Amino acid sequence: QVQLQESGPGLVKPSQTLSLTCNVSGASVSSTTYYWSWIRQPPGKGLEWIGYIYYTGDTYYTPSLKSRVTMSLDTSKNQFSLKLTSVTAADTATYFCVSERRTQPRRAFAFWGQGALVTVSS
Amino acid sequence: DIVMTQSPDSLAVSLGERATINCKSSHTVMYSSNNKNYLAWYQQKPGQPPRLLIYWASTRESGVPDRFSGSGSDTDFTLTISSLQAEDVAIYYCQQYNGNPRTFGQGTRVEIK
């Protein structure tokens, strides 16, 4: 059972950088088994996949956010992180860290963190 | 991008009755190497993260009640709740994981009539 927990500031000023960390237990971020994803959900709206990183450090970012997103792994702490630059009010959302199996059985997004609400406001 | 479109946006069903949610993808989500449909269904209740119900279009995740079932292939999929319970009130999302970017449907809200 993979467990994930997001942490980071709940309030970010416009034009600044949103930074979140996901602490992983029950699996290693160095494992070949998983993609490590970030998904966000604006208040009252649907789910938007931001991208993933996996054990090699390779990433894929959704095109609409690609110019502003950076994901990284910290294998010593068994964590992965998200940075989103130049934020606006439209980036206000609950951010979830999520695991997805790369190997069979590929069960999609089976494990989710509880989510971290990040509000962009001055 | 593969666009996922759910219908209806919301539905109200009497307790014990069947609820059916449809999901259509703009391109096939079948992986040609193994003929599996990389389509998942999630349930989200207020204040909670989504919960995986179904993967591979029809495989129930461990612990999910058997009143939930998924069907379909290629571009057309259905989630059925055979006998709606009060605890099934939630928003349901379909999602494809056959390609990048991963994409979700807009969600279907299920309520009690």
Side-chain angles (χ1 to χ4, degrees), chain A residues 35 39 41 45-49 52 60-63 96 100 104-115, chain B residues 1 31 34 36 38 40 42 44 47-52 55-56 61 93 95 97 100-106:
Chain A
Y35 295 116
I39 293 170
Q41 184 172 40
K45 296 189 177 180
L47 299 161
E48 180 182 27
W49 182 72
Y52 64 54
Y60 183 93
Y61 306 140
T62 198
F96 297 100
E100 176 190 342
Q104 301 300 349
R106 291 195 54 204
R107 290 160 52 218
F109 298 128
F111 300 109
W112 296 66
Q114 283 300 303
Chain B
D1 297 9
Y31 186 52
N34 59 12
K36 288 197 180 292
Y38 284 6
Y42 301 86
Q44 188 178 29
Q48 297 183 16
R51 173 195 181 192
L52 176 66
Y55 62 95
W56 286 340
E61 174 73 342
Y93 296 93
Q95 179 245 333
Y97 55 111
N100 286 327
R102 309 301 197 228
T103 46
F104 291 88
Q106 78 276 19

Side-chain angles (χ1 to χ4, degrees), chain A residues 1 5 12 17 19-21 24 26 30-32 39 42 45 55 61 66 77 80 87 91 95 97 105 107 114:
Chain A
Q1 182 93 347
Q5 179 65 58
V12 181
T17 296
S19 296
L20 291 171
T21 296
V24 179
S30 300
S31 167
T32 60
I39 293 170
K45 296 189 177 180
Y55 71 102
Y61 306 140
K66 184 177 181 180
K77 295 180 179 178
F80 63 104
V87 296
D91 296 309
Y95 287 76
C97 57
R107 290 160 52 218
Q114 283 300 303

